Amino acid sequence: MEIDSKLGTLYIVGTPIGNLEDMTFRAVRILQEVDAIAAEDTRHTGKLLHHFQIKTPQISYHEHNRQQRIPELVNRLAEGQAIALVTDAGMPGISDPGYELVKACLEKGIVVVPIPGPSACITAISAAGLPASRFTFEGFLPVKGKERQEQLQGLKGETRAMVLYEAPHRLRKTLRDLEKILGGDRALVLGRELTKLHEEFWRGTIAEAIAHYDDNCQPKGEFTLVIDGGDRSTPVFSEETLKAALQNAIAQGLTRSEATRQLAQETDLPRRQIYQLAIGLDQPNAEDL
């Protein structure tokens, strides 16, 4: 949709992830000039605004009220107002509901302007000392259940560096789950309390990290994990190659389910990933898993 110049502007404003000195001059100016600030936690953002003597009114926008807030915010923007979106820390739209508001604005032709700021993901990668010219951001893993296992399995063949966020009370469980999937000898960097007073980087292997936090005190602070990618000499299977192998197996009399199981074992790829390709094949046999 084309942008309508008569409408307002949504600013995506990055805020410090810990150290207030990381606030940019541009971010301060925008927060001073907009008509309202849509904040994930108005109490948390209120402290930031007080520090920089910003008196712009706030409106809460978070995971639990986004469905009600999006129409309200879009209407205000459609009337010509300027609104800044902020999260508790870092750039909005990453591991928070900012994406849905941005999407709604773009659908209405409202201008969306990013105001870059700190990001825990990029901060951790820059100091990790691991190959990261290419990386995948996984955010927070699902806490439990099938979704968690599927996301973990999806990391098994990943050759790029991987970045995860984790809360301190779930760190040990996540490390053990990573050990099961990736092996204990995989290189790992744990960034803790990034940019804050007690910032710390711990470097070693997954197995060593498990031993470290089993032998030492309870993990404290928010963690950003940077995990080295897998063996880059491991063959990478293209979608076309996998489809051809599935078609060949089915032509030999296997059902889609059987062909999926066989190919998953041969390639060490997640069965669900292969089955998604299998159900798209133009074959008369359509058995499900």
Side-chain angles (χ1 to χ4, degrees):
M1 176 176 288
E2 293 184 1
I3 298 297
D4 188 338
S5 60
K6 296 179 182 179
L7 303 180
T9 301
L10 175 69
Y11 293 95
I12 312 300
V13 181
T15 57
I17 59 176
N19 194 321
L20 291 178
E21 292 182 2
D22 293 333
M23 189 74 166
T24 69
F25 292 115
R26 188 183 181 200
V28 171
R29 177 177 62 80
I30 292 296
L31 293 180
Q32 289 173 333
E33 293 178 353
V34 294
D35 296 292
I37 299 170
E40 184 177 8
D41 184 334
T42 55
R43 292 169 299 179
H44 181 91
T45 299
K47 297 176 183 177
L48 177 74
L49 301 183
H50 177 75
H51 180 84
F52 290 102
Q53 300 180 355
I54 298 170
K55 303 185 183 300
T56 307
Q58 296 186 74
I59 181 172
S60 66
Y61 173 75
H62 50 72
E63 180 69 28
H64 304 293
N65 72 356
R66 67 188 191 285
Q67 297 301 331
Q68 294 77 33
R69 282 289 193 241
I70 288 176
E72 178 182 347
L73 292 169
V74 170
N75 286 339
R76 292 179 65 168
L77 289 160
E79 292 171 355
Q81 292 190 25
I83 295 176
L85 174 66
V86 300
T87 185
D88 286 351
M91 283 298 293
I94 303 174
S95 297
D96 66 62
Y99 151 77
E100 296 179 50
L101 177 59
V102 170
K103 183 174 181 290
C105 288
L106 294 176
E107 289 174 349
K108 296 293 186 180
I110 295 168
V111 176
V112 176
V113 177
I115 310 298
S119 165
C121 172
I122 301 302
T123 300
I125 286 176
S126 69
L130 295 176
S133 57
R134 298 174 67 241
F135 67 89
T136 174
F137 175 70
E138 298 293 325
F140 287 97
L141 291 171
V143 176
K144 58 184 178 179
K146 184 178 179 182
E147 288 185 6
R148 181 179 178 88
Q149 292 308 311
E150 288 178 350
Q151 188 166 340
L152 284 165
Q153 284 293 335
L155 302 179
K156 193 170 186 179
E158 182 58 70
T159 59
R160 297 169 294 181
M162 295 158 275
V163 182
L164 303 176
Y165 290 161
E166 193 52 277
H169 63 281
R170 288 196 295 266
L171 179 66
R172 287 171 171 154
K173 173 176 172 52
T174 292
L175 289 173
R176 290 191 175 91
D177 286 345
L178 289 171
E179 183 181 38
K180 293 176 185 177
I181 300 298
L182 304 178
D185 60 349
R186 185 69 67 88
L188 168 79
V189 176
L190 296 173
R192 185 179 73 85
E193 294 289 86
L194 296 178
T195 79
K196 299 178 182 178
L197 179 62
H198 299 292
E199 176 183 88
E200 177 184 43
F201 286 93
W202 184 95
R203 298 173 173 85
T205 66
I206 293 176
E208 289 169 345
I210 292 172
H212 175 76
Y213 284 104
D214 279 346
D215 295 341
N216 291 278
C217 61
Q218 178 74 22
K220 295 181 180 179
E222 297 300 315
F223 286 83
T224 302
L225 290 70
V226 183
I227 308 159
D228 195 15
D231 185 356
R232 288 151 183 90
S233 64
T234 301
V236 178
F237 301 96
S238 68
E239 185 173 305
E240 292 72 20
T241 299
L242 295 173
K243 286 182 177 179
L246 286 167
Q247 288 174 325
N248 183 57
I250 293 172
Q252 294 177 13
L254 297 182
T255 66
R256 285 180 176 166
S257 177
E258 292 168 342
T260 296
R261 188 179 302 109
Q262 176 178 291
L263 191 56
Q265 292 173 348
E266 293 174 355
T267 62
D268 209 24
L269 292 172
R271 185 178 171 190
R272 182 180 180 85
Q273 175 185 340
I274 296 176
Y275 186 67
Q276 291 301 314
L277 298 176
I279 60 176
L281 296 177
D282 185 17
Q283 295 288 339
N285 189 337
E287 290 191 18
D288 291 332
L289 283 170

